[in-house]
Amino acid sequence: MARRSVLSIRIVEGRNLPAKDITGSSDPYCIVKIDNEAIVRTATVWKTLSPFWGEEYEVQLHPTFHSISIYVMDEDALRDLAKKDRNGASDPFVCVSYNGKTQESTVVKKSCYPRWNEAFEFELPDPPAEKLCVEVWDWDLVSKNDFLGKVVVSVQGLQAAGHQEGWFRLQPDTAKPREDRRRGSLGSLQLQVRLRDETVLPSHCYQPLVQLLCQEVKAGHQAGGVHLVTLLDETTTAESRQDVAVNLVKLFLGQGLVKEFLDLLFELELAKPCEPNTLFRSNSLASKSMESFLKVTGMQYLHAVLGPTISRVFEEKKYVELDPSKVEIKDVGCSGLHRVQTESEVMEQGRQLLQSYLGELLDAIGKSAPTCPPVIRAAFRQLFQRVGERFPQHQHTQFVAVTSFLCLRFFSPAIMTPKLFHLRDTHADARTGRTLLLLAKAVQMVGNMEPAAGRAKEEWLAPLQPALQHGASRMRAFITRLVGTEEEEEGGEGWPCAPRAAVVKEGLLFVHKTRGKGPLLASASKKLHFCLTGEALSFAKSPGAERCGSIALANIRAAERVEEKSFGSCHVMQVVYVDEAGQQETAYLQCKCVNELNQWLSALRKVCGNNPQLLHAYHPGVFRGDKWSCCHQKDRTGPGCGQTRHSITLQDWSDPLQPDVEAQRLFQHLHGLQEPLREKYWQLMEAGGAHDGPRGCGEGPPLPLVLQRLFEALQDLERCHRQLPPAAPAPLELQT
């Protein structure tokens, strides 16, 4: 049994943000902190006051966490001191004021990361004054000192707590004009935040529910009856349908029944009244499940197919435009021979570039049929056959059914927003974003198999028409190869089993120099290429070089953050491990950004989660001289002063399946649907003529055996949860 909290965050967009740059614009991004620790950083959207991010994150947390803080930042405005001097730094000093008396620290020259380690004492009057004020200033020799920020401490609160320690965010001077601080001057941020507390029971508790769902999938669609999946589709709201689809897909992947589950959805969807040209275009459970299935099983395939072309678009940054109303005329030529391009020249250049990108992409798609995961090929093969049986006179519909998922719901969204599919670390700028939008539109039109339909809506796409028609023919040939050969899939058609040594994460990390022995610590002050697998964390001089050494996962004791003051960076992590001689060592590794730091920490914590000797405490600082920088303890091997955070991880599409977690989430969803399921069953039976006449309160036809068994399984799980000892709820504070 495990208790955990899962936080789902969707950072959508900002509006009317304040201008922070001299150009009258900003470069905004968001930071999400859990208990004042940065967990998520969005990409920066450049030069805008109304940014769109559309980024989603799911974080697994310890149930005792207290607060969530969401900050909107400008890329030029750091969580360090402001750079007030021409040399890009400051000369900071501190003024501490209490009860009319002020004391000052020394000045730290040319630093945005000052460190004082100075102590000040004040007499406490009776009664004590309310506030202690700590101000940070930039010292100037000839001009007025610049105010950098302040922290105000409540003495009454300090007396009650006895001690306060940690990082305190510098606040601006409240003496600014009121109009600069009026409500709404900071703009607005659109968010979706959901906290889900979960208690995952032992596996055997979920067996009745899981077995019932599996039996229903194996039984398939029975003519004249109402299937449980139909009732689930009809009673699930549009807001929760995506989550339910993900849970069902992962559950049946784990049970080796995902092919049968998707086939059942196809059959039930095609049994409804439908037209060939609108097939699978709604957000039904079938559409959402297939979309989720492609993301869970096909992300590596997507990266292999789209990655090279997306990288080329980002690197070339060429201007591509076909719409005459949006064309920008520019100068071309060498020095002294400049001339203005005509509109037709700009559009012709754009057409050639877009056609080149599209051709390269279609080449990659066409060659990818043999490398497409077998489980995806099997799903598309079933879809192709089912649609052919439903519309025997419209063979064209079979191909469009496949492309409605592959192109419209998988390839095109990834091309348009590559950051959201982990194809890039940053969002595209305006020019690159426009190129990606046109390329995604072209792929959609190729997927529609009728390029002329798109041309009717946007006449300026006419110059691209020959390429689109040729692309549709190539897409048709690709689908024929994709669904044409039935193969024996190793290990069944469930979750694609990767070898144990498959790469979990890899990349360059800087190794900080500290005390210690071994090949890793001997390579300090260098960048090494690290590779994390299901067996070890290994390192080499470069990505293709011979391995210098490795740390077995069984020897890792903790993976945690390091205090910013230790190395002057907030992106350093520590890996605590035991070497071959049984000696505990710590490697300090610096990442390039907070997102990379959290991804490494999450990956390490997941693969080491079952280690029996994980530490419960660690030192967030570093041992320098004769003591730890965090707690000043002089014993280098002494117990840690901070609690480890093994349970805090970021969820990802590539995470291993957790059948009990998916079963628990389905239980939570179905538990609230018992009455709607009963009502929907009666409605469908009445619509089919199985029950005539008015129905009184609580009356109706007898429930089918499957619903009776479902309700019994849900009641059993509810009893299991009620028998658990209650967990003390932690107060939650959300700050934006």
Side-chain angles (χ1 to χ4, degrees):
M1 182 187 74
R3 284 193 174 100
R4 62 185 219 165
S5 296
V6 179
L7 180 69
S8 299
I9 303 174
R10 184 165 189 254
I11 302 175
V12 185
E13 61 181 331
R15 291 184 180 177
N16 303 320
L17 301 183
K20 293 294 184 180
D21 298 342
I22 59 174
T23 60
S25 187
S26 289
D27 305 313
Y29 66 93
C30 293
I31 289 283
V32 179
K33 291 188 176 182
I34 307 295
D35 290 341
N36 207 36
E37 180 176 303
I39 298 295
V40 166
R41 183 199 193 278
T42 68
T44 301
V45 182
W46 301 97
K47 299 179 181 177
T48 179
L49 300 182
S50 296
F52 177 82
W53 291 286
E55 300 185 24
E56 298 182 14
Y57 302 91
E58 188 169 291
V59 188
Q60 182 175 323
L61 302 166
H62 195 276
T64 58
F65 84 99
H66 290 80
S67 66
I68 306 167
S69 304
I70 301 175
Y71 299 88
V72 182
M73 314 287 284
D74 180 65
E75 181 69 31
D76 299 325
L78 303 178
R79 292 196 300 263
D80 319 312
L81 297 183
K83 300 174 182 178
K84 289 291 185 178
D85 297 343
R86 292 182 179 180
N87 58 17
S90 290
D91 304 317
F93 68 97
V94 173
C95 292
V96 185
S97 304
Y98 179 69
N99 195 31
K101 297 182 179 180
T102 299
Q103 300 186 49
E104 293 185 0
S105 73
T106 57
V107 177
V108 179
K109 291 286 188 177
K110 299 179 181 179
S111 174
C112 289
Y113 301 95
R115 186 175 181 179
W116 290 282
N117 275 340
E118 298 181 27
F120 303 96
E121 291 186 359
F122 293 90
E123 289 187 6
L124 196 66
D126 188 20
E130 290 186 0
K131 296 178 180 179
L132 170 74
C133 184
V134 182
E135 297 181 342
V136 185
W137 292 80
D138 173 45
W139 177 84
D140 281 315
L141 178 63
V142 294
S143 61
K144 183 179 177 182
N145 294 336
D146 296 315
F147 178 77
L148 298 179
K150 69 178 180 179
V151 174
V152 179
V153 180
S154 168
V155 176
Q156 183 179 1
L158 186 59
Q159 283 183 309
H163 178 77
Q164 285 188 10
E165 184 176 349
W167 288 94
F168 297 86
R169 187 169 183 80
L170 293 176
Q171 302 298 323
D173 189 359
T174 55
K176 285 185 177 181
R178 180 175 296 273
E179 58 268 18
D180 290 343
R181 297 184 285 110
R182 66 185 184 274
R183 182 178 178 86
S185 64
L186 295 181
S188 58
L189 180 66
Q190 183 184 356
L191 300 168
Q192 294 176 4
V193 182
R194 180 184 61 186
L195 178 64
R196 181 170 54 214
D197 288 320
E198 297 176 334
T199 300
V200 182
L201 301 170
S203 298
H204 67 85
C205 298
Y206 299 105
Q207 283 307 302
L209 175 61
V210 174
Q211 289 174 1
L212 174 64
L213 294 174
C214 290
Q215 289 169 5
E216 280 294 289
V217 166
K218 290 177 182 177
H221 175 50
Q222 304 294 327
V226 179
H227 201 280
L228 178 60
V229 172
T230 300
L231 294 174
L232 184 60
D233 190 9
E234 294 282 346
T235 54
T236 300
T237 62
E239 293 76 16
S240 57
R241 190 168 286 134
Q242 179 71 55
D243 292 335
V244 173
V246 172
N247 299 149
L248 288 169
V249 165
K250 289 188 174 181
L251 179 74
F252 289 118
L253 273 168
Q255 297 295 319
L257 290 172
V258 71
K259 187 180 90 166
E260 290 79 1
F261 170 62
L262 293 173
D263 190 40
L264 174 63
L265 289 174
F266 299 152
E267 187 178 7
L268 293 171
E269 187 78 5
L270 290 167
K272 301 176 184 177
C274 56
E275 294 294 328
N277 58 344
T278 60
L279 197 57
F280 297 112
R281 297 301 174 97
S282 67
N283 289 323
S284 64
L285 186 61
S287 297
K288 287 296 184 182
S289 296
M290 189 63 180
E291 181 180 329
S292 302
F293 164 74
L294 289 173
K295 290 180 179 178
V296 172
T297 61
M299 290 300 280
Q300 288 185 344
Y301 169 70
L302 179 83
H303 282 221
V305 173
L306 301 187
T309 304
I310 297 295
S311 296
R312 179 187 166 196
V313 172
F314 269 81
E315 290 164 6
E316 292 184 350
K317 295 184 179 296
K318 294 292 183 65
Y319 180 68
V320 176
E321 187 54 77
L322 301 182
D323 186 349
S325 65
K326 297 181 179 180
V327 168
E328 298 176 5
I329 305 300
K330 57 182 180 178
D331 292 343
V332 295
C334 58
S335 177
L337 297 175
H338 284 279
R339 68 177 182 83
V340 178
Q341 274 188 315
T342 65
E343 180 180 285
S344 60
E345 287 177 330
V346 173
M347 293 172 60
E348 174 59 21
Q349 177 181 293
R351 182 197 65 79
Q352 292 178 5
L353 282 169
L354 187 60
Q355 189 168 318
S356 173
Y357 295 142
L358 180 62
E360 179 182 309
L361 193 58
L362 291 175
D363 282 342
I365 294 174
K367 297 174 182 177
S368 71
T371 60
C372 182
V375 67
I376 294 181
R377 299 187 67 179
F380 279 132
R381 188 180 305 117
Q382 290 177 150
L383 174 63
F384 193 82
Q385 292 171 353
R386 288 287 185 189
V387 174
E389 294 167 0
R390 175 66 172 81
F391 299 102
Q393 305 301 321
H394 300 83
Q395 293 184 358
H396 175 77
T397 307
Q398 293 175 280
F399 294 90
V400 175
V402 174
T403 58
S404 67
F405 289 115
L406 193 62
C407 293
L408 274 65
R409 292 180 182 263
F410 198 39
F411 286 158
S412 289
I415 295 169
M416 200 152 39
T417 53
K419 168 68 171 65
L420 305 187
F421 286 77
H422 309 294
L423 283 160
R424 302 292 296 184
D425 292 331
T426 60
H427 287 295
D429 58 23
R431 171 174 290 188
T432 305
R434 178 60 178 171
T435 303
L436 293 174
L437 176 62
L438 292 173
L439 182 58
K441 187 186 291 289
V443 171
Q444 286 180 352
M445 294 175 68
V446 168
N448 287 332
M449 299 288 181
E450 293 179 357
R455 179 185 172 184
K457 297 178 182 178
E458 296 165 322
E459 288 293 334
W460 46 268
L461 286 171
L464 204 62
Q465 198 66 20
L468 295 176
Q469 290 176 343
H470 182 56
S473 300
R474 297 174 68 182
M475 184 64 69
R476 189 182 185 96
F478 162 71
I479 294 172
T480 301
R481 291 193 298 273
L482 187 72
V483 304
T485 306
E486 190 152 357
E487 301 169 337
E488 292 293 329
E489 285 130 13
E490 184 178 353
E493 290 173 340
W495 182 250
C497 299
R500 194 161 182 261
V503 174
V504 176
K505 184 165 180 61
E506 61 182 333
L508 289 171
L509 298 173
F510 181 82
V511 183
H512 279 281
K513 186 176 182 179
T514 57
R515 292 183 180 180
K517 301 177 181 179
L520 177 56
L521 300 179
S523 303
S525 302
K526 295 180 181 178
K527 269 192 176 182
L528 297 179
H529 182 265
F530 285 80
C531 182
L532 178 65
T533 68
E535 297 175 351
L537 175 65
S538 60
F539 45 94
K541 292 183 178 179
S542 60
E546 183 180 354
R547 189 173 68 175
C548 299
S550 64
I551 303 171
L553 295 188
N555 292 337
I556 294 179
R557 300 292 181 258
E560 298 293 336
R561 293 170 180 265
V562 179
E563 286 181 338
E564 181 176 358
K565 64 182 181 182
S566 299
F567 297 103
S569 171
C570 54
H571 305 145
V572 180
M573 67 174 176
Q574 57 177 294
V575 179
V576 184
Y577 65 98
V578 175
D579 63 15
E580 296 178 354
Q583 182 72 29
Q584 182 171 302
E585 299 286 357
T586 303
Y588 296 93
L589 311 175
Q590 181 167 332
C591 306
K592 64 181 179 181
C593 63
V594 67
N595 274 1
E596 186 182 55
L597 170 66
N598 285 313
Q599 289 164 8
W600 271 106
L601 287 173
S602 182
L604 283 163
R605 289 166 179 171
K606 287 174 185 176
V607 296
C608 300
N610 294 324
N611 285 6
Q613 295 180 311
L614 290 175
L615 298 177
H616 298 291
Y618 79 110
H619 288 285
V622 64
F623 195 83
R624 283 206 177 103
D626 61 347
K627 61 184 178 181
W628 286 99
S629 63
C630 45
C631 59
H632 306 296
Q633 186 181 159
K634 294 193 174 183
D635 184 0
R636 186 171 182 268
T637 60
C641 58
Q643 184 179 3
T644 53
R645 298 172 174 85
H646 301 303
S647 60
I648 299 180
T649 57
L650 293 171
Q651 303 301 321
D652 191 76
W653 286 106
S654 61
D655 285 349
L657 295 176
Q658 297 178 292
D660 295 341
V661 173
E662 307 306 334
Q664 169 62 26
R665 293 179 178 178
L666 286 171
F667 158 69
Q668 289 177 312
H669 180 72
L670 291 168
H671 184 263
L673 284 184
Q674 294 183 69
E675 189 57 33
L677 285 169
R678 185 181 288 109
E679 288 292 331
K680 180 56 65 175
Y681 172 74
W682 284 335
Q683 290 176 14
L684 293 176
M685 293 301 288
E686 288 175 358
H691 177 71
D692 298 324
R695 171 163 50 89
C697 181
E699 298 178 359
L703 291 177
L705 181 60
V706 63
L707 280 184
Q708 295 178 34
R709 291 177 57 200
L710 174 64
F711 295 159
E712 289 172 1
L714 296 177
Q715 290 167 6
D716 289 343
L717 281 168
E718 186 180 11
R719 279 193 292 271
C720 291
H721 279 280
R722 282 203 303 263
Q723 293 170 0
L724 296 174
L732 173 64
E733 177 187 356
L734 173 63
Q735 303 174 347
T736 58

